[in-house]
Amino acid sequence: VAYQDQGKTSKAEKLYKKVLATREDAGSRINLAAIYMDQGKTEEALSQLRIAAEADNDNPNPSSVLGEYLERLGKLTESEKFYKKALGIDEKHGPTHYRLGKFFIKKNDFDKAQIHLKLATELDPKEPTYLEELAKEEIRRENPIEAIALYERVSLLEPDRPQIWVQLGNLYKQNGYFNQAAIRFGTVLDLDRNNPAIHRALLEIYQKLSKREKDSIQAIEIKSTVARKR
């Protein structure tokens, strides 16, 4: 896996094959399939996952990943079949619910998408990718408060990601919560001081606030900056 993460795919491929020569291992086949997909060897990738799904029929991961790869190839009927197979093995498999959420968004079945995305976030509440995807769906549904709550959870898990604070700032600003927006934009500037778009957004907000509100926000920003430097 380390070789694969470093982009040394040929070394990773040899190691996975070496493992599989001695024993069956679903993780090695899934990782090998990922290498083949990246190389455009789709049939080899699908073959690895089918073998893994048959050999380890108590493991939802091979079927779930197979569903994702078939979906990428536009084979939606077969893809859904493998997602359902994965959930038949483990109905509480967060990655499959997440994949099904995105699958149903693609099919414009937004009610089913929301159900599966919510399940994914409940099953794996510390997975920021799931929270973000559900937040996007809540925005599409024009539920900004729900989206804000989800992005706030992401900000706790990944506090050094400026994009999350930007998204929060924009959502608060768009919905008239200017104090909260200013605080979130202030956090962005702690992480990325030279961001002209955020400086402009803050200027717009400050023009809407009273002196007392401005002083309050500036005090919070100072505390935030000091805390980050410790």
Side-chain angles (χ1 to χ4, degrees):
V1 176
Y3 283 132
Q4 194 172 348
D5 290 343
Q6 294 166 13
K8 299 175 181 178
T9 53
S10 60
K11 287 186 177 181
E13 183 179 349
K14 287 177 183 177
L15 282 174
Y16 295 139
K17 286 181 176 178
K18 188 175 180 180
V19 170
L20 292 168
T22 60
R23 61 185 172 86
E24 184 55 44
D25 181 68
S28 293
R29 289 204 186 276
I30 289 170
N31 290 331
L32 195 54
I35 290 172
Y36 288 150
M37 280 296 283
D38 287 343
Q39 294 173 344
K41 300 175 182 178
T42 55
E43 289 307 315
E44 289 93 330
L46 298 179
S47 175
Q48 290 297 324
L49 293 170
R50 291 182 196 278
I51 292 168
E54 280 189 32
D56 191 357
N57 53 22
D58 290 328
N59 184 347
N61 286 305
S63 293
S64 186
V65 177
L66 181 53
E68 180 183 340
Y69 287 2
L70 288 165
E71 182 184 340
R72 284 194 213 172
L73 297 169
K75 300 179 180 181
L76 300 186
T77 301
E78 195 177 1
S79 169
E80 187 174 4
K81 181 182 81 172
F82 279 99
Y83 287 144
K84 288 180 177 178
K85 182 180 177 182
L87 290 182
I89 297 167
D90 180 4
E91 64 180 9
K92 295 183 178 181
H93 193 239
T96 302
H97 283 294
Y98 167 70
R99 290 176 176 125
L100 269 170
K102 295 187 73 176
F103 173 86
F104 284 118
I105 287 171
K106 186 177 289 185
K107 295 189 75 174
N108 294 326
D109 192 338
F110 299 112
D111 289 340
K112 285 184 181 178
Q114 186 186 43
I115 289 168
H116 284 288
L117 291 172
K118 279 186 174 179
L119 280 168
T121 63
E122 290 166 8
L123 292 164
D124 294 319
K126 292 188 177 181
E127 176 50 64
T129 305
Y130 301 172
L131 295 167
E132 285 185 72
E133 197 63 41
L134 181 55
K136 291 175 189 174
E137 174 57 17
E138 295 297 351
I139 290 170
R140 192 201 64 76
R141 289 170 172 269
E142 299 183 356
N143 294 329
I145 302 305
E146 287 85 348
I148 285 170
L150 289 160
Y151 278 120
E152 288 287 9
R153 287 170 63 185
V154 177
S155 76
L156 293 173
L157 294 167
E158 298 185 329
D160 294 325
R161 275 185 64 196
Q163 306 96 314
I164 297 303
W165 297 106
V166 170
Q167 185 66 270
L168 277 167
N170 285 333
L171 281 168
Y172 278 121
K173 181 171 177 277
Q174 289 162 10
N175 291 279
Y177 299 103
F178 298 119
N179 288 40
Q180 296 297 331
I183 291 166
R184 295 333 181 264
F185 285 142
T187 303
V188 177
L189 294 180
D190 288 342
L191 298 167
D192 180 12
R193 181 61 58 182
N194 300 314
N195 190 322
I198 300 304
H199 283 288
R200 285 195 297 272
L202 274 171
L203 180 60
E204 290 174 14
I205 289 169
Y206 282 133
Q207 289 171 345
K208 299 176 185 292
L209 299 179
S210 68
K211 183 179 185 303
R212 182 178 176 182
E213 288 172 322
K214 291 175 188 176
D215 290 343
S216 174
I217 290 168
Q218 285 171 351
I220 291 169
E221 288 177 354
I222 290 167
K223 287 180 183 178
S224 173
T225 304
V226 171
R228 286 183 176 276
K229 288 179 178 177
R230 286 178 180 170

